[in-house]
């Protein structure tokens, strides 16, 4: 079946709700579904068309909820399944579709399957749902192979036998509390297809697939040797069969599948978007690129070319709950994102970063395809410095304390007022909010035409009004060195000035919106973008 050429997901602006930090309805310092329900009018007025909720399931929070104990129940800290169903239908009434986050690569170490596996002997059917192996070395004291966790350290942890002796090892590509499932096992596949049905039946319009490229493993679990055949666990061909059967499930409900695929090779990436596989996937290439006109243009062109080959819409992502906040990233010397490069105390010029982030927002919102917006980006929130003793992200500890981790972009949102918790809910927020965030509250920005919130709201509304008329194409034109300029078939012209000085605007009949004021001579200043009617 060809991709539906008119699906909402082809052009939608999708808002990522990080539930734990969005809004706290019951005052315990942790965001929850009641908090989201109370703020739905805010989301509707922003002009987005869908909400993606990061995992809301029962979880011991070894990795912020990406360690799931029960995929069919809401964590009591967030609410109940009944509330989730109400939230989904209330959102829909406001024109907001719901995307649920499913985590197939691994479960929590408190998941009943893993508990049963630990209680069962080596070689048992219970252990076969995971990757248990004997260790190497005379006493099995070395991990079965050299694979490294994505969060640092070995990808294996050793179990203890009922007699208290060291036992087998189990694989976890992330934290030790996230044992990897064995995707060669039919029961693992059946279970996840059933989880998809469960959420589609409750009104989900889409599923975001966590770590979508990592599920399949080489059964021999060999060490990775670059250049020697396929990677033992990244982007393996067997995965396409898994996603073809997921597509059949999704199609039965008119649901959409969105893959989280961090793959450098755009051709390999596009294979997941063939007509009988995933509908879309996050494009992370653009956020990894520096604030540089040639780099950004190259990324946009490569992304569009790869997608048009398979008839899938491109997606644009400036930020999410795993990466440095945009205003901070663009205010640093290294403006492209890399997991390995995160450090404490990196000098940041927030004024510069904010100017660029505003221009980048207009750039991405003008491109053909869907856009993902991470909560707080519309408020221009910077990355927060979290005191070391309050950091919860396993990336921090597993890096030996070198990497600050991802908590700095996960701080509870400032809604109103002049001091913490800024209307978030309970005062004892699970991560501390900076003392100087009064200027970022939604309430304060609401009344300021120059605020980030006003910019996003105007851009999202303009974009939504045009999306139906805009075809997938984009035409670049020359507006001078260091300037990105393109037009869309509906007459929208986007121009972004990444050169060292002001530039004249290209021919236009109206200026629809700009990320900052034009100068006295009517020129577009450095690090500023404008939307024009051609
Ligand atoms: C994805 C999530 C990230 C999580 C990881 C393991 O990359 O976005 O937050 O830590 O998967 O589930």
């Amino acid at each position: 079946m060809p991709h539906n050429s008119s699906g909402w997901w082809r052009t939608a602006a999708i808002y990522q709700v990080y539930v734990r930090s969005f809004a706290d309805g019951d005052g315990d310092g942790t965001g929850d579904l009641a908090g989201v329900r109370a703020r739905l009018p805010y989301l509707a007025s922003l002009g987005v068309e869908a909400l993606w909720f990061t995992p809301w399931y029962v979880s011991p929070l070894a990795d912020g909820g990406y360690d799931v104990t029960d995929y069919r129940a809401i964590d009591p800290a967030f609410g109940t399944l009944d509330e989730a169903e109400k939230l989904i239908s209330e959102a829909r009434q406001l024109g907001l579709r719901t995307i649920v986050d499913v985590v197939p690569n691994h479960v929590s170490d408190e998941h009943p399957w893993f508990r049963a596996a630990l209680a069962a002997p080596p070689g048992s059917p219970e252990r076969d749902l995971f990757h248990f192996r004997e260790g190497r070395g005379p006493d099995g004291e070395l991990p079965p192979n050299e694979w490294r966790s994505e969060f640092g350290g070995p990808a294996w942890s050793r179990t203890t036998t009922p007699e208290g002796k060291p036992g087998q090892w189990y694989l976890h590509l992330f934290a030790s509390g996230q044992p990897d499932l064995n995707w060669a096992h039919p029961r693992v596949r059946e279970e996840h297809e059933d989880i998809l049905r469960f959420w589609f039946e409750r009104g989900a319009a889409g599923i975001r697939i966590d770590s979508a490229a990592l599920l399949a493993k080489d059964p021999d679990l060999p060490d990775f040797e670059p250049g020697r055949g396929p990677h033992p666990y990244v982007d393996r061909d067997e995965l396409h069969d898994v996603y073809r059967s997921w597509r059949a499930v999704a199609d039965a409900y008119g649901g959409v599948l969105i893959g989280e695929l961090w793959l450098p090779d755009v051709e390999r990436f596009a294979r997941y978007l063939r007509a009988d596989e995933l509908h879309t996937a996050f494009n992370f290439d653009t956020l990894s690129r520096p604030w540089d006109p040639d780099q950004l243009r190259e990324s946009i062109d490569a992304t569009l070319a790869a997608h048009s080959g398979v008839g899938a819409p491109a997606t644009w992502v400036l930020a999410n709950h795993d990466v440095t906040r945009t205003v901070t990233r663009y205010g640093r010397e290294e403006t492209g994102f890399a997991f390995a490069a995160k450090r404490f105390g990196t000098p940041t010029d927030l004024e510069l970063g904010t100017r660029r982030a505003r221009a980048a927002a207009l750039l991405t919102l003008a491109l053909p395809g869907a856009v993902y917006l991470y909560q707080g980006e519309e408020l221009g929130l910077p990355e927060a410095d979290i005191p070391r003793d309050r950091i919860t992200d396993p990336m921090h500890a597993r890096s030996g304390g070198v990497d600050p981790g991802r908590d700095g972009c996960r701080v509870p949102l400032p809604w109103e007022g002049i001091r913490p918790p800024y209307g978030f809910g309970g005062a004892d927020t699970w991560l501390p909010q900076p003392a100087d965030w009064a200027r970022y509250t939604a309430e304060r920005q609401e009344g300021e035409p120059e605020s980030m919130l006003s910019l996003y709201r105007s851009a999202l509304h303009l974009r939504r009004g045009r999306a139906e008329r805009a075809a997938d194409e984009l035409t670049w034109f020359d507006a001078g060195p260091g300037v990105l300029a393109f037009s869309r078939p509906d007459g929208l012209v986007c121009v972004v000035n990444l050169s060292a000085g002001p530039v004249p605007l290209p021919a236009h009949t109206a200026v629809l919106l700009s990320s900052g004021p034009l100068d006295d001579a009517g020129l577009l200043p450095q690090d500023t973008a404008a939307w024009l009617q051609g």
Side-chain angles (χ1 to χ4, degrees), residues 23 77 124 127 194 198 215 244 257 286 291 330 372 505 532:
S124 59
R127 289 207 171 183
D194 198 57
F198 182 89
L215 280 46
R244 274 191 285 271
L257 300 174
T286 313
W291 184 247
Y330 282 148
Y372 287 84
L505 289 177
L532 312 171

Side-chain angles (χ1 to χ4, degrees), residues 126-425:
E126 288 85 351
R127 289 207 171 183
D128 203 23
L129 295 172
F130 297 90
H131 299 283
F132 280 89
R133 292 289 188 281
E134 301 300 331
R136 292 170 302 158
D139 299 313
E141 72 281 10
L142 295 172
N145 67 25
E146 296 294 331
W147 295 3
R148 308 289 295 169
S149 155
E150 301 284 326
F151 293 160
W156 295 90
S157 289
R158 197 164 192 188
T159 61
T160 307
T161 67
E163 298 76 43
K165 300 221 175 70
Q168 285 192 308
W169 296 71
Y170 68 91
L171 175 69
H172 52 84
L173 289 184
F174 293 90
S176 57
Q178 295 169 292
D180 278 46
L181 287 166
N182 172 12
W183 272 85
H185 199 298
R187 187 142 169 238
V188 172
R189 286 184 65 157
E190 281 158 25
E191 169 70 356
H192 277 82
E193 288 173 22
D194 198 57
I195 291 167
L196 298 188
R197 283 187 210 100
F198 182 89
W199 286 105
F200 284 135
E201 273 160 21
R202 275 156 192 79
I207 302 287
R208 179 237 185 213
I209 310 166
D210 186 69
S211 303
L214 304 181
L215 280 46
K217 276 68 183 189
D218 183 323
D220 297 332
L221 307 182
D223 283 328
F224 176 49
E225 291 179 48
R228 296 263 316 264
H231 193 285
Y233 60 83
V234 180
D235 183 28
R236 292 180 62 80
D237 287 342
E238 305 92 281
L239 272 174
H240 296 283
D241 188 44
V242 171
Y243 293 132
R244 274 191 285 271
S245 46
W246 283 35
R247 179 61 179 255
V249 174
D251 279 346
Y253 296 91
V256 172
L257 300 174
I258 304 144
E260 188 213 10
L261 297 160
W262 290 86
L263 293 178
D265 180 334
V266 286
E267 299 299 326
R268 295 285 303 179
F269 172 89
R271 292 172 40 143
Y272 291 85
L273 303 177
R274 290 176 291 196
D276 59 349
E277 297 191 40
L278 309 182
H279 296 75
T280 64
F282 299 103
N283 153 35
F284 294 120
D285 183 65
T286 313
L287 76 80
S288 71
R289 302 288 187 127
W291 184 247
D292 170 276
D294 299 332
Q295 290 264 354
L296 289 174
R297 175 156 175 181
E298 185 185 287
S299 174
I300 292 166
D301 282 339
T303 301
L304 292 175
H307 285 78
S308 74
V310 285
T315 65
W316 309 100
V317 181
L318 284 174
N320 63 29
H321 64 294
D322 292 328
V323 307
T324 308
R325 286 280 189 192
T326 314
V327 300
T328 302
R329 171 162 68 89
Y330 282 148
R332 290 181 168 169
E333 198 183 332
E334 286 302 328
T335 49
F337 177 76
F339 280 105
K342 295 203 288 18
R343 291 293 174 269
F344 286 92
T346 310
T348 307
D349 177 344
L350 274 187
E351 200 194 305
L352 175 66
T354 302
R355 202 158 4 115
R356 290 172 170 172
R358 292 173 66 93
L362 291 198
L363 170 63
T364 47
L365 288 167
L367 293 168
V371 179
Y372 287 84
L373 165 62
Y374 173 48
Q375 74 179 36
E377 291 285 292
E378 82 280 21
L379 302 176
L381 295 185
E383 188 84 359
D385 289 326
I386 309 293
R388 284 180 189 261
D389 63 349
R390 296 287 303 270
I391 294 179
T392 67
D393 183 12
M395 260 188 167
H396 175 61
R398 292 188 67 93
S399 72
V402 173
D403 184 334
R406 299 163 294 175
D407 286 349
C409 68
R410 299 174 175 181
V411 172
L413 292 190
W415 289 98
E416 59 220 8
I418 54 166
R419 60 182 65 87
Y422 306 107
F424 173 72

Side-chain angles (χ1 to χ4, degrees), residues 470-534:
D472 277 354
E473 298 96 68
L474 157 163
T475 310
W476 293 104
F477 64 90
D478 185 10
V483 181
L484 295 177
F486 59 85
S487 63
R488 300 288 311 278
D490 68 346
L492 177 74
V493 169
C494 177
V495 42
V496 190
N497 181 7
L498 292 98
S499 75
V503 295
L505 289 177
H508 59 277
T509 56
V511 178
L512 302 173
L513 190 62
S514 65
S515 66
L518 302 182
D519 71 11
D520 292 343
L523 301 178
L524 184 69
Q526 183 183 9
D527 294 327
T528 307
W531 284 3
L532 312 171
Q533 186 63 46

